[in-house]
Amino acid sequence: MEFDKYFLKSDLIPAIVQEKSTGEVLMLAYMNKESLKKTFETGYTWFWSRSRKELWNKGATSGHFQKVVEIYSDCDDDTLLVIVEQTGEACHTGHHSCFFKKIK
């Protein structure tokens, strides 16, 4: 698979993670080329932590893994939609989704 086309504009690409069974948007994270490759190799989500400056496998610490079902690219190849089967909560706060704070 050719990964370079997704990183022409930046070394990081936003990845929207959506739960297959419900359609709920679980989180937004960033992938670099290495994390995208590891996601394809393992079948589980890997991201780049902008704060820690390192790769992280979602669920490695919490046990709340994301098994990848499908990955889509947007029309410009600069954003990914990752469809997953979520185990447990996606958010580090203990919520199922990171999008739980209604502001309007």
Side-chain angles (χ1 to χ4, degrees):
M1 166 134 209
E2 178 55 48
F3 295 104
D4 289 338
K5 72 178 184 174
Y6 302 109
F7 300 96
L8 296 176
K9 297 176 185 171
S10 175
D11 290 339
L12 295 177
I13 187 170
I16 301 162
V17 181
Q18 183 179 32
E19 189 167 34
K20 176 148 180 80
S21 63
T22 65
E24 183 177 18
V25 174
L26 299 175
M27 58 184 282
L28 170 77
Y30 292 87
M31 290 184 167
N32 64 7
K33 198 180 305 183
E34 185 179 1
S35 65
L36 183 57
K37 286 179 183 177
K38 287 183 83 66
T39 297
F40 270 84
E41 290 168 3
T42 66
Y44 289 87
T45 55
W46 284 80
F47 302 105
W48 176 257
S49 170
R50 295 180 302 162
S51 59
R52 295 187 314 267
K53 307 280 191 250
E54 65 183 13
L55 289 177
W56 59 281
N57 172 227
K58 179 66 177 162
T61 303
S62 66
H64 299 168
F65 291 99
Q66 296 174 334
K67 183 175 177 22
V68 176
V69 177
E70 300 170 312
I71 300 178
Y72 294 90
S73 174
D74 75 337
C75 56
D76 295 322
D77 289 330
D78 63 3
T79 302
L80 299 176
L81 176 61
V82 184
I83 310 297
V84 302
E85 293 174 354
Q86 176 70 44
T87 301
E89 316 312 331
C91 186
H92 72 281
T93 65
H95 289 83
H96 187 68
S97 168
C98 292
F99 296 97
F100 61 91
K101 296 182 191 179
K102 185 174 181 177
I103 60 172
K104 180 175 176 172

